[in-house]
């Protein structure tokens, strides 16, 4: 009897322990999203895929309000903006796939109705609402001129507001930000950098001089000057243009100054201001000169304020912070399904280690007990997971930041470094090597492959899609490649130095190059290297780059190594250096096996050459035509006229290397610019510096190449402005070639 009681007690204890384990299901948010806060504390998520989720309060789990398969969901619409009045009433808008309606619920998201809007709001970005039921929406799509819709009844009906700054002929217009202080007074920011205020609900408006016009930032294109946040506060106006924040005292003549803030919000209870700095500190300000540090590190942005607390969006969920520093979190979890149901629906990598089953979904790490799966830890951004070779109670993960971490059964997470991760793979020697490179985009996909198989001590070419003509197969010593990989094994975890790329110290800041080269282009290049050893085990190495948009990663680094037992990232160029002879000329992405990208060069860049007398003046300008194994430029000189020639660094003293300038978004039109440049090759040099005389001088050549793409108004040549990308020369740091037109200095080049 006592034995039975003991067994029952142990079972109950095991069940109790299992119930305490985290069995929550991660909320799946499939694309870009925003979080909005209702006037009573309910949270809403609106997404660019048209999904909507809601949570009753901070700390609650999320439920689905609209899913893309729901009848209410309209294909092509995004629902990233939510106006939430109380617990039940909400209005959803975004890119509305027609622009004449919004969605509205009075049941907390259970049922939605369509509300027609007379104004053709193509994409609603400017969005503001008050607790009394008033709300404003404004178009900011880049496809429609500025227009607004206004409601006084929580979105039941709307009237049209046409702000006085609306320009029906401006297809680059639109309101990006709206902030109404009262029913009549407020502020707006536009897609092109305009800042406006009103005192009569946009029947009239006052235009403010902006930071661009006062020289605090350059306006190279509209995307660099969106006014995406604006707040009046205690005699100040605070505005954010793209990623830069500025403030000015209220008055008739704005005097903007820079603020080191990433985001900010006025506290509706105290009237004080919350701000998250560029370095991630959360501040609480009583005026511009006095603040209190609330949190030293915040990885998130401000959603809104309620009841004197600030709500922040972070990777791990919504965090509420009070002025005394107390925090509460609403993680991205849902109870609409169990973990076992989710795992039954989709395949996830699972392996046994230390007598336990381990699993990851890319966000969390899970273990299994008698009651099913439970969460051990949530490191986020897990790319690969493997068994720890040294401990049975621990796994090793590779995260999206390129770092390895260990995670044990108690959920402890620590940095981890493999010791010679390639040693075991190389013990049995290389048997084959396959190099695949490719380029892809919305409408194209191309691939090159070259493969080698071991024959004795040689790796012999067995596949070549680059050169299909009959030729003698290429061969390379297998031991030489193995030796390179053994050397890489010793240093793979080290960050490279300039010397690793054959550069001099000071030539380039590698930390900056590798840390800030992320692009958004839809076209990209990539590679996959497949190594097979004598035991038949496979090692895959891969990487990618947004090279079509000019976002070069030098040497296509970092390289991600994945085998059956380990995965890690390396920034070392050693393997690329060894593989270059094995890649036939003409193979895609072979150009990454040089150092040109370290100097931030790409086609259509402008090279401005300094005066040899060190006067701080430029004496010549050239267009970069190609950045393959050799940099080729097109320029106009008295000796050669317009010609194409190689640019060799060895011909120049270090202090006389050219400065690099670039037009923003050159990749949208670089083909046409280069086509025009090549068409001018052979024309004579214009010694008279006269227009339209059949000859060209250097800056005139550049102007003619870029004219049709950068400047639609051919009469206003001063619109042609380039941005400095890489300034090498100490003697020209104060010189900026802001115009490639008829400015006196460039005309004299």
């Amino acid at each position: 009897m006592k034995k039975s009681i003991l067994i029952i007690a142990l079972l109950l204890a095991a069940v109790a322990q299992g119930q305490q384990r985290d069995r929550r299901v991660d909320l799946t948010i499939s694309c870009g999203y925003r979080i909005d806060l209702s006037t009573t504390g309910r949270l809403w998520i609106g997404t660019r895929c048209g999904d909507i989720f809601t949570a009753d309060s901070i700390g609650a789990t999320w439920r689905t309000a609209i899913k893309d398969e729901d009848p209410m969901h309209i294909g092509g619409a995004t629902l990233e903006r939510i106006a939430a009045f109380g617990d039940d009433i909400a209005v959803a808008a975004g890119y509305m796939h027609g622009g004449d309606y919004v969605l509205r619920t009075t049941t907390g998201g259970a049922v939605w109705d369509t509300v027609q809007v007379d104004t053709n709001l193509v994409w609603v970005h400017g969005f503001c609402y008050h607790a009394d039921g008033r709300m404003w929406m404004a178009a900011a799509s880049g496809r429609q001129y500025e227009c607004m819709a206004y409601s006084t009844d929580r979105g039941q009906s709307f009237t049209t507001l046409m702000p006085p700054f609306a320009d029906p002929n401006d297809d680059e217009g639109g309101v990006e930000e709206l902030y109404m202080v009262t029913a009549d007074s407020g502020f707006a920011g536009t897609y092109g950098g305009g800042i406006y205020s009103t005192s009569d609900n946009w029947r009239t408006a006052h235009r403010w001089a902006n930071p661009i016009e006062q020289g605090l930032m350059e306006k190279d294109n509209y995307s660099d000057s969106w006014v995406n946040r604006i707040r009046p506060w205690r005699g100040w106006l605070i505005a954010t243009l793209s990623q830069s924040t500025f403030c000015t005292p209220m008055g008739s003549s704005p005097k903007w100054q820079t603020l080191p803030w990433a985001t900010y919000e006025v506290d509706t209870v105290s009237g004080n201001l919350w701000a998250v700095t560029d370095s991630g500190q959360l501040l609480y300000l009583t005026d511009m000169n006095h603040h209190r540090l609330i949190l030293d590190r915040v990885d998130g942005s401000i959603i809104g304020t309620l009841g004197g607390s600030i709500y922040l969006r972070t990777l791990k969920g919504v965090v509420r912070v009070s002025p005394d520093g107390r925090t509460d979190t609403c993680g991205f979890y849902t109870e609409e399904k169990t973990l076992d149901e989710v795992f039954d629906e989709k395949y996830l990598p699972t392996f046994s280690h230390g007598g336990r089953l381990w699993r990851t979904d890319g966000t969390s790490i899970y273990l299994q007990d008698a009651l099913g799966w439970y969460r051990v830890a949530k490191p986020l951004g897990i790319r690969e997971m493997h068994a720890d070779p040294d401990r049975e109670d621990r796994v090793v993960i590779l995260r999206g930041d390129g770092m390895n971490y260990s995670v044990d059964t108690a959920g402890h997470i620590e940095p981890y470094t493999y010791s010679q991760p390639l040693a075991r793979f190389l013990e049995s020697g290389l048997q084959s090597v396959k190099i695949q490179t490719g380029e892809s985009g919305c409408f194209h996909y191309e691939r090159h492959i070259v493969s080698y198989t071991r024959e004795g001590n040689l790796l012999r070419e067995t596949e070549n899609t680059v050169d299909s003509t009959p030729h003698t197969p290429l061969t390379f010593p297998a031991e030489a490649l193995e030796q390179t990989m053994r050397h890489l094994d010793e240093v793979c975890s080290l960050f490279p130095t300039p010397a690793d790329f054959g550069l001099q110290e000071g030539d380039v800041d590698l930390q900056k190059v590798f840390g800030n080269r992320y692009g958004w282009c839809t076209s990209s290049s990539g590679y996959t290297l497949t190594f097979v050893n004598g035991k038949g085990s496979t090692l895959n190495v891969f990487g990618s780059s947004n090279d079509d948009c000019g976002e070069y990663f030098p040497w296509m680094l970092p390289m991600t190594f994945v085998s059956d037992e380990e995965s890690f990232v390396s920034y070392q160029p050693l393997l690329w250096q060894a593989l270059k002879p094995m890649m036939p000329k003409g193979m895609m992405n072979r150009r990454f096996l040089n150092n040109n990208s370290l100097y931030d060069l790409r086609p259509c860049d402008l090279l401005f050459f300094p005066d040899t007398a060190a006067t701080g003046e430029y004496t010549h300008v050239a267009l970069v035509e190609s950045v393959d194994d050799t940099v080729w430029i097109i320029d106009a000189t008295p000796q050669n006229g317009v010609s194409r020639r190689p640019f060799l660094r060895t011909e120049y003293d270090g202090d006389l290397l050219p400065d690099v300038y670039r037009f923003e978004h050159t990749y949208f039109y670089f083909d046409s610019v280069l086509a025009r440049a090549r068409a001018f090759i052979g024309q004579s040099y214009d010694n008279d510096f006269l227009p339209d005389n059949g000859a060209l001088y250097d800056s005139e050549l550049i102007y003619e190449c870029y004219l049709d793409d950068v400047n639609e108004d051919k009469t206003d040549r001063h619109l042609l402005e380039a941005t400095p990308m890489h300034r090498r020369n100490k003697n020209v740091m104060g010189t900026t070639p802001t115009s490639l037109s008829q400015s006196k200095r460039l005309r004299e080049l």
Side-chain angles (χ1 to χ4, degrees), residues 368-578:
Q368 192 179 49
D369 63 11
L371 297 180
W373 291 95
Y374 64 94
R375 179 180 290 99
V376 176
K378 193 171 185 177
L380 297 174
I382 304 169
R383 299 168 64 178
E384 299 285 341
M385 184 169 74
H386 303 273
D388 188 315
D390 302 316
R391 285 175 46 176
E392 293 187 344
D393 66 336
R394 201 167 68 172
V395 292
V396 178
I397 61 172
L398 174 66
R399 288 182 56 183
D401 58 6
M403 301 291 291
N404 288 110
Y405 300 86
S406 65
V407 183
D408 64 18
T409 55
H412 298 135
I413 304 174
E414 298 178 351
Y416 183 90
T417 300
Y418 282 110
S419 175
Q420 298 186 352
L422 298 177
R424 281 182 290 178
F425 180 83
L426 293 170
E427 283 178 355
S428 56
L430 289 177
Q431 293 303 306
S432 67
V433 180
K434 184 176 184 179
I435 306 172
Q436 299 182 73
T437 63
E439 296 180 355
S440 63
C442 295
F443 306 105
H444 73 283
Y445 175 71
E446 301 176 80
R447 182 175 63 172
H448 281 165
I449 300 174
V450 58
S451 300
Y452 295 86
T453 301
R454 187 164 191 149
E455 295 181 4
N457 294 324
L458 295 177
L459 290 169
R460 182 177 298 276
E461 175 194 320
T462 54
E463 182 181 15
N464 186 338
T465 66
V466 185
D467 184 3
S468 58
T469 61
H471 63 278
T472 302
L474 300 172
T475 59
F476 295 92
E479 176 60 30
L481 182 56
E482 290 171 350
Q483 189 62 35
T484 297
M485 296 179 71
R486 290 190 186 95
H487 183 36
L488 173 65
D489 205 26
E490 299 288 338
V491 298
C492 64
S493 62
L494 301 179
F495 195 81
T497 66
D500 293 322
F501 296 90
L503 303 171
Q504 297 298 315
E505 200 71 41
D507 273 349
V508 66
D509 184 346
L510 290 178
Q511 292 285 351
K512 183 177 180 181
V513 169
F514 285 117
N516 299 283
R517 308 306 301 163
Y518 296 97
W520 55 271
C521 184
T522 56
S523 296
S524 63
S525 294
Y527 62 87
T528 299
L529 314 174
T530 304
F531 301 91
V532 178
N533 65 13
K535 295 181 179 179
S537 299
T538 300
L539 170 70
N540 289 309
V541 185
F542 51 87
S544 63
S545 167
N546 291 112
D547 79 296
D548 289 350
C549 294
E551 302 295 344
Y552 284 6
F553 285 78
W555 297 72
M556 277 233 179
L557 297 175
M559 307 182 92
T560 302
F561 291 73
V562 178
S563 69
D564 294 336
E565 299 174 325
E566 293 140 339
S567 59
F568 60 94
V569 162
S570 176
Y571 284 88
Q572 290 289 328
L574 292 172
L575 190 53
W576 269 131
Q577 292 166 340

Side-chain angles (χ1 to χ4, degrees), residues 233 327 452 522 533 608 618 621 673:
W233 181 65
T327 61
Y452 295 86
T522 56
N533 65 13
F608 280 82
Y618 293 109
V621 61
V673 171

Side-chain angles (χ1 to χ4, degrees), residues 297-310:
R297 183 65 190 170
V298 173
D299 294 316
S301 58
I302 294 175
I303 298 170
T305 66
L306 184 66
S309 295
I310 191 76

Side-chain angles (χ1 to χ4, degrees), residues 127 154 164 168 176 203 232 287 310 373 429 483 487 550 570 683 689:
F127 203 87
R154 293 176 171 81
E176 177 73 10
R203 287 187 289 275
D287 59 54
I310 191 76
W373 291 95
Q483 189 62 35
H487 183 36
S570 176
Q683 287 198 19
F689 299 100

